[in-house]
Amino acid sequence: MPAQPSRKPGPPAETVTTDTDGGTPLRADAQHNRDRILEVAREAFTTQGTDVPLTAIARRAGVGPATLYRRFPTRASLISEAFAEQLSICVSVLDEALADPDPWRGLCTVIEQVCAMQATDRGFTAAFFSEFPDAVDYNRERTRAEEGLERLVRRAKDAGQLRDDFDPSDITLLLLANSGVVGESRQVSLAASRRLVAYLLQSFRPEHTQRLPPPAPLGLQQLHKARRAT
Amino acid sequence: MPAQPSRKPGPPAETVTTDTDGGTPLRADAQHNRDRILEVAREAFTTQGTDVPLTAIARRAGVGPATLYRRFPTRASLISEAFAEQLSICVSVLDEALADPDPWRGLCTVIEQVCAMQATDRGFTAAFFSEFPDAVDYNRERTRAEEGLERLVRRAKDAGQLRDDFDPSDITLLLLANSGVVGESRQVSLAASRRLVAYLLQSFRPEHTQRLPPPAPLGLQQLHKARRAT
DNA sequence: CGATAAACGGACGACACCTTCCACTTGCCG
DNA sequence: CGGCAAGTGGAAGGTGTCGTCCGTTTATCG
């Protein structure tokens, strides 16, 4: 498991995903089934992408379709839950990076970690770029992430470690590009991703003076808006 | 249509795609329908990807499903025909590049052109990376293309215009990465692709000395073999 | 023009997946 | 231990796509 950095130590993460967040606590067996479904779903999404038939997940989890649908009314809600942990890892990674005194190293770390996660996990990539209508605070997280990245970029530029014409959207660009290499075997994807990232990080350095084509409007915000239109 | 370079002038391309290549010539109306199907298919594949229901293509072409299936027994055969022209453009581009006295400029041209085609054409990307069991000489073309690229890379290195640790598979890597940006609007995709390519081309230059992670086994050959296993 | 075979498209059966309903089971609490 | 509500899974209805069959149309040629 080279791709899953340990969570940032600090305030003990309050037990998320353990039971349904809001209402009445689930009955013991129900809770068990819910966990099992999530477990199977993670596995399935990871290896086969987010298009796997929900029926198959239910079957492999040893429950009926109805059970799955009662817990997760929509496919998106299941995906959202299944990757909640991974997303929170992303946030931690970003926080770590912001805490790093060397902004360039911080930037590299975020990018490398997230890209490795993408490369090892087919479903994560899909989840990462899709919306989570259910997760109420997803938008907030997203905004926070973008702000964090922007700050990181600014600091790296100020430190003279990042080319001046670098645009925050270039990170999205890199992530999109990286998502292109996913789909082969885990090993191959990871190797390809690493090399790609290395190439790109090099070209982000300030020594480069050659002019670039203008950045594309690729904020995660716009990206999601565009996808929605499709 | 900024992405479709004109075909290389030279021996007048013998009329492909005009009628069924081998057997009895088609009846006039049949030929017309066939053309119309291909036209619609190209459009549909380009804008919606290669997963569009064949029934929809038939309907939009004003023919019954049976007609489509009679002409193109499998989905792959339709895709293959629909993108035959584009693929031949790729080959021409490569030939042009090989003819260029400046190998670096040649390399840039191939990459930029093909990436632009990918970025403007959703279906092309899928077609490019998928197999064509029908097209007998597809394998031959592919091999030829790989050999050509290898030669181009070699020449560029010998001319001191390409970093020494560049691997031919890095071109595949770049194309895969580029395919990741497809999916947004045509404009956005193209802008993103251009910037990505610019970044990567810069990092291919020989001034870079920092060590890279090893190349991934991404020959088009292996790639297709791996996909087949999926 | 008229015969003939090629070509056509509507309709249909098969299949996969989604989603809901409902009669039955079972954990939980008094 | 017993009743009840929460929970369950199988079965069934719905939808969309695939791929084919077959009666009808129509281009082509004499």
Side-chain angles (χ1 to χ4, degrees), chain A residues 127-149:
Chain A
F128 192 86
F129 287 123
S130 73
E131 282 192 286
F132 297 89
D134 307 56
V136 247
D137 48 351
Y138 183 64
N139 254 294
R140 194 157 46 79
E141 290 286 351
R142 190 163 63 196
T143 311
R144 206 168 80 76
E146 283 198 319
E147 284 169 0
L149 285 175

Side-chain angles (χ1 to χ4, degrees), chain A residues 27 30 33 63-64 66-67 70:
Chain A
R27 226 169 66 179
N33 278 336
V63 304
T67 302
R70 191 163 338 100

